[in-house]
Amino acid sequence: MIEKKANSAIVVTKNPKLLDKVSLTLKAHRYSRKTEEAYLRWIKNYILFNGKKHPKELDKKDLEKYLTFLAVNKKVSASTQNQAMNAIMYLYNKVLNIELGWLENVKRAKRNLKLPTVFSKNEISEIFKQLSGVTKIIISVLYGGGLRLGEALRLRVKDIDMDYKMITVRDSKGEKDRQTILPTSIIPEIINHLKKVKKLHENDLKAGKGETILPMALREKYPNAGKEFGWQYIFPSDKFVLSEKIILLQTPFT
């Protein structure tokens, strides 16, 4: 079981509960936070569907019945059904070390045949006319660089290369880094935005705050890197976040 003591240290006991064990395994395999939340939600739903029985007491037929229920009764999409199946198969294969084999008797959800709506060039221009400030910068990065929203919000100052007009997206889908285009038209606005972020960061450091969280184990290797400007988020949030023993400051601009 995972407990959090008064000093914010995380303690893992010898016999964690099933969902805690799944969470720890997902973290060890470096799954994203959103994937972890989704997997835990599906596993919990699967257990509740089967009368709170432990998954070890269930078999392939129970899983097939559950997945068919999602498609027929809940009318979920094919991608949603696949996510539920992947979550529960992860539980059996990686946590319980049980091989269920090929799922043969599952009613598959129908794939959505609707084509996505694609804006014309004029429609895009009209949308950008309504935007300003940080919102415009973020959407410009999404549209011009092909980033997902979460990827844009996780960008740090060091990930932007003004000279080469490149954006480095760290730890993206599949735990891979990639480089994409920094839209030239938005560079002046990003430069002005970063000046504000840097000024605020300097003031925060004077106040004894302004330290950001670092990826993986970099904080152990570089104890002071969290205070460096290059590691700060480009689009910070509007509040201090208490994360273990670090106070993180992230403040947006309007």
Side-chain angles (χ1 to χ4, degrees), residues 147-160:
L147 275 70
R148 301 175 180 87
L149 179 59
E151 292 172 342
L153 297 180
R154 290 196 302 270
L155 286 176
R156 299 175 190 257
V157 175
K158 67 194 300 296
D159 296 332
I160 298 290

Side-chain angles (χ1 to χ4, degrees), residues 162-174:
M162 303 289 186
D163 294 330
Y164 286 95
K165 300 180 177 62
M166 298 290 293
I167 299 174
T168 300
V169 183
R170 311 282 181 183
D171 203 13
S172 184
K173 191 170 184 179

Side-chain angles (χ1 to χ4, degrees), residues 79-93:
S79 61
T80 299
Q81 186 188 42
N82 285 336
Q83 186 186 63
M85 180 180 68
N86 291 338
I88 299 166
M89 291 300 288
Y90 182 89
L91 166 69
Y92 280 107
N93 295 337

Side-chain angles (χ1 to χ4, degrees), residues 137 162 165 182-196:
I137 298 175
M162 303 289 186
K165 300 180 177 62
L182 173 64
T184 304
S185 61
I186 206 67
I187 288 179
E189 293 182 58
I190 289 183
I191 291 174
N192 289 332
H193 172 71
L194 290 180
K195 288 179 180 178
K196 297 178 182 179

Side-chain angles (χ1 to χ4, degrees), residues 10-177:
I10 296 177
V11 179
V12 181
T13 60
K14 292 184 179 179
N15 298 306
K17 294 181 179 179
L18 179 62
L19 292 181
D20 292 332
K21 193 179 295 184
V22 174
S23 179
L24 290 171
T25 307
L26 287 165
K27 285 182 171 64
H29 290 152
R30 293 189 62 191
Y31 279 70
S32 70
R33 179 180 58 82
K34 287 187 176 180
T35 300
E36 178 184 341
E37 292 173 353
Y39 275 29
L40 291 175
R41 184 170 61 251
W42 284 119
I43 292 170
K44 183 177 180 181
N45 191 270
Y46 172 65
I47 293 172
L48 293 174
F49 176 80
N50 287 287
K52 296 185 179 180
K53 289 184 179 179
H54 194 286
K56 284 185 177 180
E57 301 175 23
L58 306 172
D59 56 23
K60 183 173 70 170
K61 292 182 179 179
D62 295 302
L63 178 53
E64 291 174 338
K65 182 179 178 181
Y66 173 67
L67 295 174
T68 298
F69 169 78
L70 292 179
V72 176
N73 297 79
K74 292 297 184 180
K75 300 188 184 302
V76 301
S77 66
S79 61
T80 299
Q81 186 188 42
N82 285 336
Q83 186 186 63
M85 180 180 68
N86 291 338
I88 299 166
M89 291 300 288
Y90 182 89
L91 166 69
Y92 280 107
N93 295 337
K94 302 298 184 181
V95 181
L96 300 178
N97 296 316
I98 296 175
E99 291 292 337
L100 293 181
W102 183 259
L103 301 178
E104 301 169 345
N105 301 310
V106 177
K107 177 68 175 179
R108 296 292 178 178
K110 294 182 179 179
R111 293 193 174 276
N112 191 351
L113 299 179
K114 294 181 180 179
L115 294 175
T117 299
V118 179
F119 291 120
S120 67
K121 185 176 181 179
N122 289 335
E123 288 174 326
I124 291 294
S125 297
E126 288 300 317
I127 291 174
F128 274 96
K129 287 179 182 178
Q130 310 303 317
L131 302 175
S132 62
V134 177
T135 302
K136 180 183 177 183
I137 298 175
I138 294 175
I139 294 180
S140 297
V141 169
L142 297 179
Y143 181 70
L147 275 70
R148 301 175 180 87
L149 179 59
E151 292 172 342
L153 297 180
R154 290 196 302 270
L155 286 176
R156 299 175 190 257
V157 175
K158 67 194 300 296
D159 296 332
I160 298 290
D161 191 323
M162 303 289 186
D163 294 330
Y164 286 95
K165 300 180 177 62
M166 298 290 293
I167 299 174
T168 300
V169 183
R170 311 282 181 183
D171 203 13
S172 184
K173 191 170 184 179
E175 300 180 14
K176 297 178 181 178
D177 294 352

